[in-house]
Amino acid sequence: DAKTTQPTSMDCAEGRAANLPCNHSTISGNEYVYWYRQIHSQGPQYIIHGLKNNETNEMASLIITEDRKSSTLILPHATLRDTAVYYCIVRTVIQGAQKLVFGQGTRLTINP
Amino acid sequence: EAQVTQNPRYLITVTGKKLTVTCSQNMNHEYMSWYRQDPGLGLRQIYYSMNVEVTDKGDVPEGYKVSRKEKRNFPLILESPSPNQTSLYFCASSWDRYNTEAFFGQGTRLTVV
């Protein structure tokens, strides 16, 4: 499994952009990068995913470096409700089935 | 509204008393799975199912059973719960086995005493 490395915690001021980094130096060519978040102890919530191009949706933007060894999730205007643990995941396919391997994630705190 | 529903949300039980945690999704998803979440260990996959009557073990299947008789339901069965199965459990579903845009339930907090 391609391993991901994220900072344990980060802080961001409300209204500012939150930039969450992730290293995945062992990622292989056909593996996708996915981001999920977990607010308190609720079920994880899908945010965004990408392969090699930058992606944007209504929640966030995903910037993947050209060598694909790292990526950054950007929450453009963070709100207090964005306080959560954010997981960067490299999609693994084992025995024909996708598998989500969650690491420890980054605990993002949005401060008023 | 698209959702994955787990029941119960909270459960305290005694060692050895069989229990079932139900999971139902209303999105006609083929792929469903169960995870447990423990402090310091993150989320770990218990079992998954690629379709009706097709199930397989995840990373931590010991002490658990599952069944997939209908597409929408994927119950988790603990035949003889033990205290080390005290955990927060999540059910998840996605369109198919290649799609990792998974929808998670709200979780079941299980305590085995």
Side-chain angles (χ1 to χ4, degrees):
Chain A
D1 299 351
K3 184 177 171 58
T4 63
T5 305
Q6 300 177 252
T8 303
S9 63
M10 293 182 64
D11 285 90
C12 180
E14 188 178 18
R16 304 297 294 269
N19 296 279
L20 291 89
C22 178
N23 286 319
H24 31 79
S25 57
T26 60
I27 194 170
S28 61
N30 60 351
E31 290 182 317
Y32 284 74
V33 178
Y34 280 73
W35 284 82
Y36 281 76
R37 72 180 183 184
Q38 187 175 25
I39 296 172
H40 194 45
S41 292
Q42 297 177 22
Q45 176 190 22
Y46 165 83
I47 301 173
I48 198 167
H49 74 279
L51 181 63
K52 57 177 76 173
N53 298 321
N54 297 338
E55 302 288 344
T56 296
N57 63 20
E58 65 277 4
M59 287 183 68
S61 295
L62 174 61
I63 309 297
I64 302 174
T65 58
E66 194 168 339
D67 63 8
R68 302 207 330 119
K69 293 185 176 181
S70 65
S71 61
T72 301
L73 177 75
I74 301 172
L75 308 177
H77 305 287
T79 71
L80 298 178
R81 286 179 294 182
D82 291 322
T83 292
V85 177
Y86 287 77
Y87 297 99
C88 170
I89 298 165
V90 172
R91 185 184 79 171
T92 299
V93 177
I94 295 178
Q95 296 179 337
Q98 58 89 5
K99 180 177 177 179
L100 292 173
V101 180
F102 287 82
Q104 296 304 307
T106 296
R107 184 171 296 277
L108 175 67
T109 302
I110 306 300
N111 299 308
Chain B
E1 180 189 352
Q3 59 185 4
V4 177
T5 304
Q6 293 178 229
N7 279 298
R9 294 288 311 278
Y10 302 91
L11 178 61
I12 300 175
T13 190
V14 296
T15 299
K17 185 176 181 182
K18 180 179 178 180
L19 67 91
T20 299
V21 183
T22 64
C23 173
S24 180
Q25 50 92 5
N26 63 357
M27 296 167 279
N28 202 34
H29 284 169
E30 288 186 351
Y31 188 90
M32 298 184 74
S33 56
W34 276 102
Y35 292 82
R36 61 178 288 174
Q37 185 172 29
D38 302 289
L41 296 176
L43 283 113
R44 295 176 291 168
Q45 191 182 57
I46 303 171
Y47 266 95
Y48 64 91
S49 169
M50 289 192 276
N51 215 325
V52 175
E53 303 291 1
V54 181
T55 63
D56 211 343
K57 297 177 181 179
D59 295 319
V60 288
E62 293 77 23
Y64 304 95
K65 287 174 58 177
V66 293
S67 69
R68 189 90 180 274
K69 294 185 173 61
E70 309 163 277
K71 202 170 189 178
R72 64 183 292 128
N73 296 323
F74 189 45
L76 179 70
I77 303 156
L78 285 72
E79 295 269 4
S80 182
S82 62
N84 64 13
Q85 292 179 297
T86 292
S87 187
L88 179 58
Y89 291 86
F90 291 103
C91 178
S93 74
S94 56
W95 184 249
D96 59 31
R97 60 182 177 169
Y98 302 111
N99 185 335
T100 316
E101 184 177 343
F103 292 79
F104 283 79
Q106 286 303 297
T108 296
R109 188 169 292 280
L110 172 66
T111 301
V112 183
V113 298

